[in-house]
Amino acid sequence: MFNKNLELTNQQLEKQEEFKALVDTEIVPAAEQVDHEECMPDAVLQKIIDKGYWGAAVPAKYGGADMDYITYGLWNEEVGRGCANLRNIIGVQGMVTSSILRWGSPEQKQYWLPKMSSGELMASFAITESQIGSDIKNLQTKAQQVGAEYVISGQKNWITFGQRANVFLVFALCEGQAVALLVERNTPGLTIRPISGMLGFRGSLLAELIFEDCRVPIDNLVGSVGFGLSLVANNGLTHGRYSTAWGAVGLAQACLNASLDYVMERKQFDHYLKEHQLIQQMIADMVTNTIAARHLCFRAGQLWDNNEVTATFATSLAKYFSSVHAFTAAKDAVQIHGANGCSNKYPVERYMRDAKIMEVVEGSTQIQQVLIAQDAFHFFQN
């Protein structure tokens, strides 16, 4: 919807219709269960795998779908419209595969990426700690090189897909220098504790990871010692911001769709809600900002596809605007629905809880503002 001015190719339009059909038939019907039961049914994940979309942005030579950035964005938007939890999980998978693709050795790419693309391995990005959110330079998790192994000790918290993933990209400090290490789920010394009862993203299978002298081969080091944060983590986080930005557009579109349906069926004071001017104002803002957010995401995708230096800046813009708008759209959708919007009779209360999390993950709203301002000093200074 509202994509006529996005200059999509015929192939991208075809993929968009394919994504929409999959989401409407397989994902939307499961979204309420995912949220209520704080789960992610294997059957839903298997549908994604069967379609070949688990490695959406991974090159074909590694078994991936080889989507360009725009197509990958459209995929994230449609999934975000249907289920924010699933979009979050897909985004995290992409954060890991994109990091290996950019900074992994040829041997690591050949070994890990085909397994991740096929769904044999499901990945998670483990950087956040209880006391460390955005301040990633002060990680408390430590890694020590002992012979041909790294020994990891510490804890990670609120790790998306941690309950289900069977390989983690873990960030730690080794003698003060950042490292990124691939840790398989069955590695001795790794304990996984499920997390439940969150405000939103309840079906994202969050977990706490506890490392107690957890040993991994030195070959599991992604990138070089000292570049775990500046290169590997930033690469993954940027990918996550791009995915989240498009997902937020999808969530905003879901809010708009639900609101349009409701105002055309609900009457107050002998008039349909759509006839009340203050309701029209909320709908107008929802429409305008959803279109604007989609265009910011599309522009970021264009820049990535063209390998432009400003792509990272455009991604921060898109993530900032889209996530803030998604929460505003969800809040207004709840307001439009009134008391119905405060119950699970309608999905807008879930939309609002999930939208709030989008302002926090992969760099909070405030972090995006800092990044945008810093880039502005560079790109726009006379």
Side-chain angles (χ1 to χ4, degrees), residues 65-77:
D66 204 17
M67 292 182 191
D68 59 76
Y69 274 91
I70 297 296
T71 303
Y72 182 67
L74 297 173
W75 167 234
N76 278 270
E77 178 183 349

Side-chain angles (χ1 to χ4, degrees), residues 25-94:
T25 58
E26 304 293 345
I27 296 174
V28 171
E32 181 61 32
Q33 175 195 356
V34 167
D35 177 76
H36 180 70
E37 298 181 5
E38 302 195 21
C39 69
M40 182 57 65
D42 285 345
V44 174
L45 298 176
Q46 193 60 49
K47 291 289 184 181
I48 307 298
I49 293 169
D50 290 344
K51 280 287 188 178
Y53 297 155
W54 196 246
V58 177
K61 67 179 180 179
Y62 299 120
D66 204 17
M67 292 182 191
D68 59 76
Y69 274 91
I70 297 296
T71 303
Y72 182 67
L74 297 173
W75 167 234
N76 278 270
E77 178 183 349
E78 288 302 326
V79 177
R81 177 178 61 82
C83 178
N85 288 283
L86 183 57
R87 199 289 316 159
N88 189 36
I89 290 170
I90 287 170
V92 167
Q93 177 82 7

